[in-house]
Amino acid sequence: MSKVLIILTGGTICMVRNEETGALHPASLTLADAITPELRSAHIVAEVLSFSPLIDSSDVNPDNWVRMAQAVYDHYSDYDGFVILHGTDTMSYSGSALSFMLRNLGKPVVFTGSQLPMGMMRSDAKENLLTSIEIAAAKDEEGEALVPEVTIYFEDRLFRANRTTKRNAEHFSAFNSYNYPALAKAGVHITYQPHLIHYSDPAKPLQLCDKTDTHVAILKLFPGITREVVHSVLSADGLRGVVLETYGAGNAPSVKWLYEELQESVQKGLIIVNKTQCNTGSVEMGMYETSINLLKAGVLSGYDITTEALLTKMMCLLGEYGEDTETIKTLLQTPLCGELTLE
Ligand code: ASP
């Protein structure tokens, strides 16, 4: 028998329609009847920990990430794996955040949800939930977890959470991992890809890093962006970190004022990381003349990281290391749990 804890936070999977407004809102989810026969035949026991109130994931904030991570940490030795039921809208942010908060993770934490509520015709809820539970319970012959990472399972793919982006509001394949292959695919059988899975050092105990700093921003460049807009973002009160969304391989307009604004901010201690607006591929500063100014201004490379992973990593590192800017800068350019590839 394997034991899995289901942490229910909200999302479409547990929503019902408000008769007056026609809008979906989280209600509650009675899982026992829906999945008991399947779990019994798979020799899995699942228990549910429900958050109150249940929320739409558009309302999720760093305090909620801490609650999710704390729930895993508190129940870590009682279960073989964890499934977090969560809305799809910000699932990639939460999954990324938990991958940085649960350091040295040695058990599966699988995020899932659905595009249609449980019980609705053609709903993807039950299949997503059951396969996620199976993955959370899966072990090898030595009894070691097959995927001891924070992941997202959706439709028929298991992805490393900190590599995902929500890509579809209509189809059941809501997520993609553009820069890293799927860790498993589910058909008649679940095919795992052990060579792609990240394994923490088993000698190190699970550590909960639950401090975050939200003094961060995303600045997306566009043709015609003005100095006033750039300046007002970079000079926001208390700002400590910026995800600079650039073009292509990490390029930006070569106008002098942009260089001056960035350089001045970096000199004042702001951490600015270059993230390409493209989903696939990596930042390569210096490849074009239009990125040389960024390098000179002290902007760091985000390589092939997602915006979701970069932003949450920044929040966690700023929370943990405080004023130690040099350590934060080094770690931002170091893969901590498979979130980026340097080459
Ligand atoms: N708005 C919903 C949420 O993120 C969408 C979903 O669950 O798919 O909570």
Side-chain angles (χ1 to χ4, degrees), residues 133-163:
I133 294 174
E134 188 173 342
I135 292 168
K139 292 182 214 159
D140 63 17
E141 287 94 56
E142 275 87 51
E144 299 297 331
L146 283 187
V147 193
E149 290 203 42
V150 182
T151 53
I152 290 183
Y153 177 77
F154 231 84
E155 205 196 19
D156 60 351
R157 295 278 189 282
L158 182 74
F159 296 122
R160 177 172 300 149
N162 61 33
R163 290 286 191 161

mmCIF file of all heavy atoms in Angstrom, residues 133-163:
data_model
loop_
_atom_site.group_PDB
_atom_site.id
_atom_site.type_symbol
_atom_site.label_atom_id
_atom_site.label_comp_id
_atom_site.label_asym_id
_atom_site.label_seq_id
_atom_site.Cartn_x
_atom_site.Cartn_y
_atom_site.Cartn_z
ATOM 1 N N ILE A 133 -2.174 10.886 -8.793
ATOM 2 C CA ILE A 133 -2.031 10.075 -7.565
ATOM 3 C C ILE A 133 -1.121 8.881 -7.856
ATOM 4 O O ILE A 133 -0.231 8.544 -7.062
ATOM 5 C CB ILE A 133 -3.419 9.597 -7.055
ATOM 6 C CG1 ILE A 133 -4.258 10.792 -6.611
ATOM 7 C CG2 ILE A 133 -3.256 8.596 -5.915
ATOM 8 C CD1 ILE A 133 -5.693 10.437 -6.219
ATOM 9 N N GLU A 134 -1.321 8.253 -9.016
ATOM 10 C CA GLU A 134 -0.486 7.094 -9.359
ATOM 11 C C GLU A 134 0.994 7.501 -9.444
ATOM 12 O O GLU A 134 1.878 6.793 -8.965
ATOM 13 C CB GLU A 134 -0.963 6.503 -10.702
ATOM 14 C CG GLU A 134 -0.271 5.196 -11.022
ATOM 15 C CD GLU A 134 -0.845 4.502 -12.265
ATOM 16 O OE1 GLU A 134 -1.971 4.834 -12.689
ATOM 17 O OE2 GLU A 134 -0.138 3.626 -12.802
ATOM 18 N N ILE A 135 1.248 8.663 -10.046
ATOM 19 C CA ILE A 135 2.640 9.133 -10.169
ATOM 20 C C ILE A 135 3.212 9.480 -8.789
ATOM 21 O O ILE A 135 4.360 9.166 -8.483
ATOM 22 C CB ILE A 135 2.706 10.352 -11.134
ATOM 23 C CG1 ILE A 135 2.378 9.887 -12.558
ATOM 24 C CG2 ILE A 135 4.072 11.023 -11.072
ATOM 25 C CD1 ILE A 135 2.124 11.012 -13.549
ATOM 26 N N ALA A 136 2.376 10.092 -7.949
ATOM 27 C CA ALA A 136 2.845 10.457 -6.602
ATOM 28 C C ALA A 136 3.174 9.214 -5.777
ATOM 29 O O ALA A 136 4.009 9.259 -4.865
ATOM 30 C CB ALA A 136 1.789 11.307 -5.899
ATOM 31 N N ALA A 137 2.515 8.100 -6.107
ATOM 32 C CA ALA A 137 2.731 6.856 -5.336
ATOM 33 C C ALA A 137 3.799 5.968 -5.956
ATOM 34 O O ALA A 137 4.232 4.992 -5.332
ATOM 35 C CB ALA A 137 1.411 6.085 -5.266
ATOM 36 N N ALA A 138 4.243 6.296 -7.167
ATOM 37 C CA ALA A 138 5.113 5.367 -7.923
ATOM 38 C C ALA A 138 6.518 5.249 -7.325
ATOM 39 O O ALA A 138 7.177 6.245 -7.031
ATOM 40 C CB ALA A 138 5.203 5.838 -9.369
ATOM 41 N N LYS A 139 6.957 3.989 -7.168
ATOM 42 C CA LYS A 139 8.303 3.724 -6.612
ATOM 43 C C LYS A 139 9.013 2.678 -7.461
ATOM 44 O O LYS A 139 8.359 1.893 -8.160
ATOM 45 C CB LYS A 139 8.169 3.174 -5.192
ATOM 46 C CG LYS A 139 7.636 4.169 -4.204
ATOM 47 C CD LYS A 139 7.597 3.550 -2.825
ATOM 48 C CE LYS A 139 6.431 4.075 -2.037
ATOM 49 N NZ LYS A 139 6.016 3.242 -0.946
ATOM 50 N N ASP A 140 10.330 2.657 -7.364
ATOM 51 C CA ASP A 140 11.090 1.625 -8.073
ATOM 52 C C ASP A 140 11.232 0.371 -7.193
ATOM 53 O O ASP A 140 10.666 0.313 -6.092
ATOM 54 C CB ASP A 140 12.466 2.169 -8.509
ATOM 55 C CG ASP A 140 13.339 2.554 -7.326
ATOM 56 O OD1 ASP A 140 13.050 2.117 -6.187
ATOM 57 O OD2 ASP A 140 14.318 3.311 -7.532
ATOM 58 N N GLU A 141 12.006 -0.617 -7.674
ATOM 59 C CA GLU A 141 12.120 -1.888 -6.916
ATOM 60 C C GLU A 141 12.726 -1.689 -5.525
ATOM 61 O O GLU A 141 12.456 -2.438 -4.609
ATOM 62 C CB GLU A 141 12.987 -2.911 -7.662
ATOM 63 C CG GLU A 141 12.337 -3.536 -8.881
ATOM 64 C CD GLU A 141 12.696 -2.786 -10.142
ATOM 65 O OE1 GLU A 141 13.898 -2.640 -10.399
ATOM 66 O OE2 GLU A 141 11.776 -2.348 -10.858
ATOM 67 N N GLU A 142 13.560 -0.649 -5.393
ATOM 68 C CA GLU A 142 14.178 -0.403 -4.074
ATOM 69 C C GLU A 142 13.256 0.406 -3.154
ATOM 70 O O GLU A 142 13.638 0.747 -2.043
ATOM 71 C CB GLU A 142 15.492 0.377 -4.224
ATOM 72 C CG GLU A 142 16.709 -0.488 -4.500
ATOM 73 C CD GLU A 142 16.896 -0.744 -5.980
ATOM 74 O OE1 GLU A 142 16.884 0.236 -6.735
ATOM 75 O OE2 GLU A 142 17.013 -1.918 -6.367
ATOM 76 N N GLY A 143 12.095 0.731 -3.668
ATOM 77 C CA GLY A 143 11.158 1.505 -2.847
ATOM 78 C C GLY A 143 11.418 3.000 -2.888
ATOM 79 O O GLY A 143 10.874 3.754 -2.077
ATOM 80 N N GLU A 144 12.235 3.455 -3.858
ATOM 81 C CA GLU A 144 12.515 4.891 -3.964
ATOM 82 C C GLU A 144 11.503 5.546 -4.926
ATOM 83 O O GLU A 144 11.136 4.942 -5.940
ATOM 84 C CB GLU A 144 13.929 5.131 -4.519
ATOM 85 C CG GLU A 144 15.062 4.571 -3.666
ATOM 86 C CD GLU A 144 15.139 5.205 -2.288
ATOM 87 O OE1 GLU A 144 14.744 6.380 -2.152
ATOM 88 O OE2 GLU A 144 15.571 4.507 -1.359
ATOM 89 N N ALA A 145 11.123 6.769 -4.609
ATOM 90 C CA ALA A 145 10.157 7.487 -5.460
ATOM 91 C C ALA A 145 10.692 7.615 -6.883
ATOM 92 O O ALA A 145 11.871 7.934 -7.076
ATOM 93 C CB ALA A 145 9.889 8.857 -4.871
ATOM 94 N N LEU A 146 9.818 7.396 -7.866
ATOM 95 C CA LEU A 146 10.272 7.489 -9.264
ATOM 96 C C LEU A 146 10.521 8.934 -9.684
ATOM 97 O O LEU A 146 11.444 9.207 -10.443
ATOM 98 C CB LEU A 146 9.232 6.866 -10.205
ATOM 99 C CG LEU A 146 9.163 5.343 -10.282
ATOM 100 C CD1 LEU A 146 8.210 4.910 -11.384
ATOM 101 C CD2 LEU A 146 10.545 4.742 -10.528
ATOM 102 N N VAL A 147 9.677 9.846 -9.226
ATOM 103 C CA VAL A 147 9.843 11.254 -9.638
ATOM 104 C C VAL A 147 9.850 12.163 -8.397
ATOM 105 O O VAL A 147 8.850 12.800 -8.082
ATOM 106 C CB VAL A 147 8.726 11.688 -10.621
ATOM 107 C CG1 VAL A 147 9.096 13.022 -11.280
ATOM 108 C CG2 VAL A 147 8.445 10.644 -11.675
ATOM 109 N N PRO A 148 10.986 12.233 -7.706
ATOM 110 C CA PRO A 148 11.027 13.023 -6.465
ATOM 111 C C PRO A 148 11.229 14.516 -6.724
ATOM 112 O O PRO A 148 12.185 15.131 -6.253
ATOM 113 C CB PRO A 148 12.226 12.411 -5.721
ATOM 114 C CG PRO A 148 13.120 11.908 -6.810
ATOM 115 C CD PRO A 148 12.261 11.538 -7.971
ATOM 116 N N GLU A 149 10.330 15.082 -7.485
ATOM 117 C CA GLU A 149 10.429 16.495 -7.885
ATOM 118 C C GLU A 149 9.075 17.161 -7.717
ATOM 119 O O GLU A 149 8.056 16.478 -7.609
ATOM 120 C CB GLU A 149 10.721 16.601 -9.391
ATOM 121 C CG GLU A 149 12.055 16.189 -9.866
ATOM 122 C CD GLU A 149 12.357 16.879 -11.203
ATOM 123 O OE1 GLU A 149 12.059 18.082 -11.353
ATOM 124 O OE2 GLU A 149 12.883 16.199 -12.094
ATOM 125 N N VAL A 150 9.039 18.492 -7.838
ATOM 126 C CA VAL A 150 7.759 19.196 -7.960
ATOM 127 C C VAL A 150 7.406 19.198 -9.444
ATOM 128 O O VAL A 150 8.191 19.682 -10.273
ATOM 129 C CB VAL A 150 7.835 20.641 -7.421
ATOM 130 C CG1 VAL A 150 6.464 21.308 -7.541
ATOM 131 C CG2 VAL A 150 8.309 20.652 -5.973
ATOM 132 N N THR A 151 6.251 18.627 -9.780
ATOM 133 C CA THR A 151 5.877 18.460 -11.186
ATOM 134 C C THR A 151 4.449 18.953 -11.424
ATOM 135 O O THR A 151 3.707 19.209 -10.482
ATOM 136 C CB THR A 151 5.951 16.969 -11.586
ATOM 137 O OG1 THR A 151 5.162 16.227 -10.650
ATOM 138 C CG2 THR A 151 7.375 16.455 -11.574
ATOM 139 N N ILE A 152 4.109 19.065 -12.708
ATOM 140 C CA ILE A 152 2.716 19.320 -13.102
ATOM 141 C C ILE A 152 2.292 18.202 -14.041
ATOM 142 O O ILE A 152 2.977 17.927 -15.031
ATOM 143 C CB ILE A 152 2.565 20.683 -13.816
ATOM 144 C CG1 ILE A 152 2.771 21.825 -12.812
ATOM 145 C CG2 ILE A 152 1.192 20.799 -14.488
ATOM 146 C CD1 ILE A 152 2.564 23.224 -13.394
ATOM 147 N N TYR A 153 1.185 17.522 -13.701
ATOM 148 C CA TYR A 153 0.627 16.521 -14.617
ATOM 149 C C TYR A 153 -0.645 17.098 -15.227
ATOM 150 O O TYR A 153 -1.522 17.571 -14.505
ATOM 151 C CB TYR A 153 0.312 15.197 -13.888
ATOM 152 C CG TYR A 153 -0.329 14.223 -14.849
ATOM 153 C CD1 TYR A 153 0.445 13.542 -15.785
ATOM 154 C CD2 TYR A 153 -1.713 14.049 -14.886
ATOM 155 C CE1 TYR A 153 -0.142 12.699 -16.724
ATOM 156 C CE2 TYR A 153 -2.303 13.206 -15.819
ATOM 157 C CZ TYR A 153 -1.505 12.539 -16.728
ATOM 158 O OH TYR A 153 -2.084 11.720 -17.671
ATOM 159 N N PHE A 154 -0.730 17.046 -16.537
ATOM 160 C CA PHE A 154 -1.936 17.527 -17.211
ATOM 161 C C PHE A 154 -2.115 16.797 -18.534
ATOM 162 O O PHE A 154 -1.150 16.612 -19.273
ATOM 163 C CB PHE A 154 -1.854 19.043 -17.471
ATOM 164 C CG PHE A 154 -3.077 19.762 -16.969
ATOM 165 C CD1 PHE A 154 -3.180 20.153 -15.647
ATOM 166 C CD2 PHE A 154 -4.142 20.015 -17.823
ATOM 167 C CE1 PHE A 154 -4.314 20.790 -15.177
ATOM 168 C CE2 PHE A 154 -5.283 20.661 -17.363
ATOM 169 C CZ PHE A 154 -5.370 21.054 -16.041
ATOM 170 N N GLU A 155 -3.299 16.395 -18.813
ATOM 171 C CA GLU A 155 -3.731 15.640 -19.991
ATOM 172 C C GLU A 155 -3.011 14.306 -20.096
ATOM 173 O O GLU A 155 -3.555 13.301 -19.733
ATOM 174 C CB GLU A 155 -3.614 16.428 -21.294
ATOM 175 C CG GLU A 155 -4.611 15.859 -22.286
ATOM 176 C CD GLU A 155 -4.387 16.254 -23.719
ATOM 177 O OE1 GLU A 155 -3.289 16.686 -24.065
ATOM 178 O OE2 GLU A 155 -5.349 16.107 -24.491
ATOM 179 N N ASP A 156 -1.783 14.268 -20.590
ATOM 180 C CA ASP A 156 -1.078 12.984 -20.659
ATOM 181 C C ASP A 156 0.427 13.166 -20.452
ATOM 182 O O ASP A 156 1.209 12.296 -20.792
ATOM 183 C CB ASP A 156 -1.344 12.286 -22.004
ATOM 184 C CG ASP A 156 -0.866 13.125 -23.183
ATOM 185 O OD1 ASP A 156 -0.495 14.298 -22.961
ATOM 186 O OD2 ASP A 156 -0.857 12.613 -24.312
ATOM 187 N N ARG A 157 0.815 14.333 -19.919
ATOM 188 C CA ARG A 157 2.233 14.632 -19.760
ATOM 189 C C ARG A 157 2.565 15.034 -18.320
ATOM 190 O O ARG A 157 1.789 15.747 -17.676
ATOM 191 C CB ARG A 157 2.638 15.831 -20.641
ATOM 192 C CG ARG A 157 2.545 15.605 -22.137
ATOM 193 C CD ARG A 157 3.782 14.879 -22.625
ATOM 194 N NE ARG A 157 3.855 14.816 -24.070
ATOM 195 C CZ ARG A 157 3.169 13.982 -24.847
ATOM 196 N NH1 ARG A 157 2.308 13.143 -24.323
ATOM 197 N NH2 ARG A 157 3.325 13.979 -26.153
ATOM 198 N N LEU A 158 3.747 14.594 -17.890
ATOM 199 C CA LEU A 158 4.272 15.039 -16.596
ATOM 200 C C LEU A 158 5.474 15.930 -16.871
ATOM 201 O O LEU A 158 6.438 15.505 -17.521
ATOM 202 C CB LEU A 158 4.703 13.836 -15.753
ATOM 203 C CG LEU A 158 5.222 14.205 -14.355
ATOM 204 C CD1 LEU A 158 4.073 14.605 -13.432
ATOM 205 C CD2 LEU A 158 6.009 13.041 -13.739
ATOM 206 N N PHE A 159 5.385 17.180 -16.396
ATOM 207 C CA PHE A 159 6.468 18.140 -16.624
ATOM 208 C C PHE A 159 7.106 18.557 -15.305
ATOM 209 O O PHE A 159 6.435 18.585 -14.270
ATOM 210 C CB PHE A 159 5.927 19.420 -17.268
ATOM 211 C CG PHE A 159 5.336 19.239 -18.638
ATOM 212 C CD1 PHE A 159 4.012 19.610 -18.888
ATOM 213 C CD2 PHE A 159 6.097 18.740 -19.686
ATOM 214 C CE1 PHE A 159 3.470 19.471 -20.164
ATOM 215 C CE2 PHE A 159 5.557 18.605 -20.963
ATOM 216 C CZ PHE A 159 4.244 18.968 -21.199
ATOM 217 N N ARG A 160 8.383 18.919 -15.360
ATOM 218 C CA ARG A 160 9.001 19.602 -14.207
ATOM 219 C C ARG A 160 8.271 20.938 -14.072
ATOM 220 O O ARG A 160 8.220 21.731 -15.027
ATOM 221 C CB ARG A 160 10.491 19.823 -14.465
ATOM 222 C CG ARG A 160 11.158 20.583 -13.336
ATOM 223 C CD ARG A 160 12.660 20.615 -13.520
ATOM 224 N NE ARG A 160 13.193 19.267 -13.538
ATOM 225 C CZ ARG A 160 14.275 18.879 -14.214
ATOM 226 N NH1 ARG A 160 14.961 19.756 -14.904
ATOM 227 N NH2 ARG A 160 14.676 17.628 -14.177
ATOM 228 N N ALA A 161 7.719 21.198 -12.864
ATOM 229 C CA ALA A 161 6.855 22.380 -12.702
ATOM 230 C C ALA A 161 7.567 23.680 -13.058
ATOM 231 O O ALA A 161 6.985 24.566 -13.695
ATOM 232 C CB ALA A 161 6.333 22.439 -11.272
ATOM 233 N N ASN A 162 8.851 23.788 -12.658
ATOM 234 C CA ASN A 162 9.532 25.068 -12.893
ATOM 235 C C ASN A 162 9.982 25.258 -14.344
ATOM 236 O O ASN A 162 10.685 26.218 -14.650
ATOM 237 C CB ASN A 162 10.676 25.284 -11.896
ATOM 238 C CG ASN A 162 11.751 24.220 -11.991
ATOM 239 O OD1 ASN A 162 12.028 23.693 -13.065
ATOM 240 N ND2 ASN A 162 12.368 23.908 -10.845
ATOM 241 N N ARG A 163 9.550 24.352 -15.209
ATOM 242 C CA ARG A 163 9.810 24.511 -16.649
ATOM 243 C C ARG A 163 8.524 24.802 -17.414
ATOM 244 O O ARG A 163 8.539 24.914 -18.644
ATOM 245 C CB ARG A 163 10.430 23.227 -17.213
ATOM 246 C CG ARG A 163 11.858 22.970 -16.754
ATOM 247 C CD ARG A 163 12.798 23.916 -17.460
ATOM 248 N NE ARG A 163 14.195 23.575 -17.261
ATOM 249 C CZ ARG A 163 15.166 24.008 -18.052
ATOM 250 N NH1 ARG A 163 14.902 24.801 -19.067
ATOM 251 N NH2 ARG A 163 16.403 23.678 -17.823
#
